[in-house]
Amino acid sequence: GESVGLHLPTLSVQEGDNSIINCAYSNSASDYFIWYKQESGKGPQFIIDIRSNMDKRQGQRVTVLLNKTVKHLSLQIAATQPGDSAVYFCAENNRNTGGFKTIFGAGTRLFVKA
Amino acid sequence: GAGVSQSPSNKVTEKGKDVELRCDPISGHTALYWYRQRLGQGLEFLIYFQGNSAPDKSGLPSDRFSAERTGGSVSTLTIQRTQQEDSAVYLCASSHLVPGELFFGEGSRLTVL
């Protein structure tokens, strides 16, 4: 079935460096994308979203890039901090489901070394 | 409460028993979602509710799984005749906007012995 996947299952970065987490999606009908952060023992927490009519969106220390040509999504975290250590999920949503069915990828675990 | 509340937080049951998991969404959120997360894996979509209606039940793994929502608020996920492969964290989320940000509870961890 359709799925959202990630290139790297784990990522280890030095504190203060920038992190880039990548995601590939397979459904060309997907028009809304979201990044979530999940800390151990908790539910996922929204980070940032982007719609398909955009290719870049910035938040506080985070930037999401969308390349619809190659169906690729990335999350950039600037000046990575120990508190950023978590599992990051990309998720997609498409108009064919009325916007309700949000499909999550497998996740990337980010380790931040002090 | 301010967030999505799920109960029980932990449930250990014997194979073959039925379990019921409860979700209290954020007040006013019309959309409610159930996901399953096995250890170290991603979130598997199970079902969503638009109000009390569940238009798409195709994500439910088998006919042992059912869910309902009453009064546009509380939802229950029922698993009948539990199997060991049902062991997972069951996450509930709600949202006001569709599509939009999902607000998750902390999940119900189910262990089937």
Side-chain angles (χ1 to χ4, degrees), chain B:
Chain B
V4 177
S5 178
Q6 292 188 246
S7 61
S9 55
N10 279 285
K11 176 72 175 179
V12 180
T13 191
E14 294 180 346
K15 178 181 173 181
K17 300 287 188 182
D18 297 351
V19 296
E20 192 172 279
L21 308 177
R22 175 187 168 107
C23 174
D24 269 292
I26 293 173
S27 178
H29 282 193
T30 56
L32 184 147
Y33 312 80
W34 283 99
Y35 288 85
R36 178 170 70 179
Q37 186 175 31
R38 292 196 167 104
L39 184 64
Q41 297 188 20
L43 278 71
E44 177 186 359
F45 179 87
L46 298 180
I47 192 169
Y48 76 83
F49 287 90
Q50 181 180 357
N52 291 334
S53 174
D56 181 359
K57 298 181 180 179
S58 62
L60 295 175
S62 74
D63 59 8
R64 295 186 296 105
F65 287 72
S66 63
E68 65 175 16
R69 188 181 186 195
T70 55
S73 181
V74 172
S75 176
T76 54
L77 177 68
T78 302
I79 309 173
Q80 295 178 311
R81 305 180 303 281
T82 52
Q83 305 293 312
Q84 287 183 334
E85 63 261 29
D86 298 335
S87 295
V89 175
Y90 290 83
L91 289 159
C92 176
S94 68
S95 68
H96 176 59
L97 297 174
V98 176
E101 177 180 355
L102 270 58
F103 293 83
F104 282 87
E106 299 207 336
S108 292
R109 180 177 298 279
L110 175 65
T111 303
V112 182
L113 302 177

Side-chain angles (χ1 to χ4, degrees), chain A residues 13-64:
Chain A
V13 300
Q14 197 70 35
E15 181 180 359
D17 288 351
N18 297 334
S19 303
I20 300 176
I21 302 172
N22 295 303
C23 176
Y25 64 95
S26 57
N27 188 349
S28 58
S30 292
D31 55 4
Y32 177 64
F33 304 88
I34 319 98
W35 282 100
Y36 285 88
K37 172 185 180 183
Q38 187 177 29
E39 296 175 317
S40 181
K42 297 184 178 180
Q45 184 178 17
F46 175 93
I47 300 173
I48 191 168
D49 60 0
I50 188 168
R51 297 187 185 275
S52 59
N53 61 350
M54 303 173 67
D55 53 21
K56 179 179 181 179
R57 190 163 189 224
Q58 289 184 296
Q60 186 178 8
R61 282 202 305 119
V62 295
T63 301
V64 56

Side-chain angles (χ1 to χ4, degrees), chain A residues 27-33 52-53 68 92-101, chain B residues 99:
Chain A
N27 188 349
S28 58
S30 292
D31 55 4
Y32 177 64
F33 304 88
S52 59
N53 61 350
K68 295 182 289 293
E92 65 176 322
N93 191 296
N94 75 77
R95 65 186 83 87
N96 295 332
T97 67
F100 285 91
K101 198 168 182 178

